[in-house]
Amino acid sequence: MTSEMDETSSEQMTPVERDTNERLEVAEIYRNKHKGRKFKNPRTAHRSIFSTCMARCENQQPFSGLKTSNTTFLDEIDRRGNCENCGRSRKFFCYTCHIPLPAIKELVPYIASLPCRIDVIKHPNEHDGKSTSIHAAVVAPEMVKIFTFPNFPDYSIEDGVVLVYPCDGAVPMTTMTTSRAAEIQKMVFIDSTWAQAKQIYKDPRLKALPCVVLRTRKSLFWRYQLGKPDSYLATIEAIYDAVVSLDERRRGSDADGGSSYDGSYDNLLFFFRYFYEKMEDLYFHKSPAV
């Protein structure tokens, strides 16, 4: 009887609802499969549980509404090249020098300006090649700077600097006033695991900064931290959300009361979107047998 009801219910679903339901079922299977499992190599554990990350996304095409540039030229890159600055072998961009490779330099989108400058403080143990904050520095080199802890500026001599971090008393960006948003000239992000971020935040140069927090949403990052909520965003997701939120707070609502954001900064997610879709093609469809 229950089976018949489930069948009827499934038939009444729209294609989008059916896809979402299937993805959630796959996510549950993977959660049960890996529950309590101890991985020999935590750094590569994401390969085993990747489909959980993909399945937890309720939208089949989470980037469909973004105005990101076409990424098809990246598929045509079949071999690694050398960074024109350091000479190291890389694929699309140099994650050490934060520049695109010569072969695609003219094709990679360039964002000339953002609502404010962005500083990223990266934990020394955070592998450059896995850091998504590099994506922002590649497409917006004039606006994004990356530092390795503990070597970063003393922000006490600068005006309008805020730290994007959920400390006590942090102001939600969704409720920030227009005048306060206009005062922000630089946003600082910590690029690390959450355990490492707590240690970095103890630095007096950061503790003295006013904090802001982002709206809560599910991350799309494929290398998420085991045992942590799926609302823990990748650094590039946090940068994008913060930039868009700041732009919205400054502009205010449109005539219909909706967002006035026009997609100007969507290319911050250019590489993130490309890698996400590649990972989905490689892993998500290899779902376990029910």
Side-chain angles (χ1 to χ4, degrees), residues 45-253:
H46 66 279
R47 295 175 187 170
S48 299
I49 58 176
F50 176 76
S51 287
T52 302
C53 178
M54 292 291 97
R56 70 186 178 179
C57 175
E58 297 176 1
N59 188 339
Q60 187 179 8
Q61 297 179 321
F63 301 100
S64 60
L66 299 186
K67 298 178 181 178
T68 52
S69 299
N70 194 305
T71 62
T72 53
F73 70 89
L74 296 176
D75 289 326
E76 298 172 5
I77 307 300
D78 56 2
R79 64 180 65 185
R80 297 167 72 86
N82 296 105
C83 171
E84 60 183 354
N85 187 39
C86 69
R88 292 186 175 92
S89 174
R90 300 288 188 250
K91 186 66 181 287
F92 302 124
F93 53 83
C94 180
Y95 48 76
T96 304
C97 303
H98 312 155
I99 57 175
L101 291 192
I104 60 172
K105 181 165 49 172
E106 301 303 321
L107 299 174
V108 171
Y110 170 72
I111 301 176
S113 65
L114 296 172
C116 70
R117 295 190 176 278
I118 303 293
D119 276 8
V120 178
I121 302 170
K122 190 171 68 67
H123 191 278
N125 292 341
E126 191 74 9
H127 192 282
D128 288 344
K130 295 181 179 179
S131 172
T132 61
S133 62
I134 307 296
H135 303 174
V138 172
V139 299
E142 310 302 324
M143 301 299 296
V144 181
K145 302 299 178 187
I146 299 178
F147 303 91
T148 301
F149 184 82
N151 302 312
F152 65 92
D154 179 2
Y155 296 114
S156 66
I157 60 175
E158 298 183 47
D159 294 325
V161 182
V162 297
L163 176 66
V164 181
Y165 186 80
C167 65
D168 291 338
V171 177
M173 292 203 68
T174 53
T175 61
M176 185 180 293
T177 63
T178 301
S179 58
R180 177 66 182 111
E183 294 172 354
I184 296 177
Q185 299 178 35
K186 179 182 289 185
M187 290 191 287
V188 181
F189 296 79
I190 298 175
D191 187 4
S192 68
T193 65
W194 279 96
Q196 293 166 342
K198 292 178 181 178
Q199 296 303 313
I200 291 178
Y201 178 63
K202 292 179 181 179
D203 190 294
R205 290 171 292 178
L206 296 179
K207 289 279 282 187
L209 291 175
C211 292
V212 297
V213 288
L214 305 172
R215 72 184 192 281
T216 301
R217 72 168 177 86
K218 289 184 178 181
S219 172
L220 298 176
F221 194 32
W222 51 92
R223 195 178 288 118
Y224 68 100
Q225 299 175 46
L226 292 174
K228 299 298 182 183
D230 55 14
S231 58
Y232 281 19
L233 304 179
T235 306
I236 188 62
E237 291 179 292
I239 291 173
Y240 173 75
D241 279 16
V243 164
V244 172
S245 291
L246 185 62
D247 183 78
E248 289 177 331
R249 300 315 298 171
R250 287 180 178 177
R251 290 171 180 262
S253 302

